[in-house]
Amino acid sequence: MEEKKAKGIGRVTNRFLTFYLEEEIYGVNIFDVKEIIAMMKTTPIPKTPKFIKGVMNLRGNIIPVVDMRVKFDMPEIEPQMYTAIVIITIEGNNIGFIVDKVEEVVNVDDENISLPPAFGSQVDTRFIKNMAKQKNKVVMILDLVALFGEEELSLVQNLSKTISDKG
């Protein structure tokens, strides 16, 4: 019986898609990822928050696109060779996340997942659900709903519906 445990049988493995923003590596649950596409042109929408780059038409579906660098208060840059859009499903709605580079899908056992450190009230870490130890790096696992908050999430989700209804 010990031999089976050593081979990983009986362990719970979590799967995350990892991606980079600057030098930091983030992850989202693989079950929330619909697809990954190359960077494409978006149509800007006036009077939306700066982190919303606009919307894109993906095979007839209007999808809001969020620049994750801007969302995380990082410097905005022009798309590079590895810049990609990760289509994520949040509460039944698809949203595109612009990331610097998609890394890989990783399997992480429960024993290598921990809660984020408490930095006190000065640092907002609500959007970090967990920290995952992966080889020689730490992956910040995002809580997609907490990342936006109810008001912002509602705004982003309603964008595609509003545009679709007008078209």
Side-chain angles (χ1 to χ4, degrees):
M1 194 65 146
E2 283 300 311
E3 188 179 334
K4 285 184 180 178
K5 262 199 167 163
K7 289 183 179 176
I9 295 173
R11 285 185 175 169
V12 176
T13 299
N14 305 279
R15 299 187 76 205
F16 303 103
L17 174 73
T18 59
F19 57 87
Y20 280 93
L21 293 173
E22 286 190 347
E23 300 299 314
E24 300 300 322
I25 189 162
Y26 297 88
V28 292
N29 190 312
I30 193 68
F31 297 113
D32 294 328
V33 177
K34 184 168 172 117
E35 65 184 297
I36 302 162
I37 61 172
M39 187 63 193
M40 62 187 290
K41 185 170 176 8
T42 58
T43 303
I45 305 295
K47 298 189 177 195
T48 56
K50 190 173 167 101
F51 66 85
I52 297 176
K53 280 294 159 210
V55 294
M56 66 180 180
N57 182 340
L58 185 64
R59 294 184 293 279
N61 296 312
I62 303 299
I63 298 176
V65 179
V66 171
D67 187 330
M68 293 301 286
R69 284 178 147 271
V70 176
K71 182 66 181 152
F72 285 156
D73 294 324
M74 294 177 178
E76 209 171 337
I77 61 169
E78 287 297 314
Q80 308 293 310
M81 183 165 76
Y82 294 110
T83 303
I85 300 176
V86 180
I87 309 297
I88 306 276
T89 303
I90 304 175
E91 296 185 343
N93 295 282
N94 293 328
I95 300 173
F97 285 6
I98 300 172
V99 301
D100 291 353
K101 178 183 173 188
V102 172
E103 182 68 0
E104 62 184 335
V105 175
V106 296
N107 297 317
V108 183
D109 294 330
D110 279 348
E111 63 204 35
N112 288 317
I113 294 180
S114 60
L115 292 172
F119 291 106
S121 60
Q122 305 294 35
V123 180
D124 183 7
T125 57
R126 288 175 300 172
F127 62 91
I128 300 173
K129 185 184 246 177
N130 296 108
M131 305 295 264
K133 290 180 269 181
Q134 182 64 25
K135 296 177 189 161
N136 59 347
K137 55 192 170 204
V138 175
V139 178
M140 290 177 268
I141 307 301
L142 299 178
D143 181 332
L144 298 171
V145 174
L147 177 64
F148 291 98
E150 279 183 46
E151 198 172 303
E152 281 183 357
L153 189 58
S154 178
L155 169 71
V156 172
Q157 290 172 334
N158 286 333
L159 262 182
S160 58
K161 184 177 181 340
T162 303
I163 303 289
S164 295
D165 289 349
K166 288 180 180 176

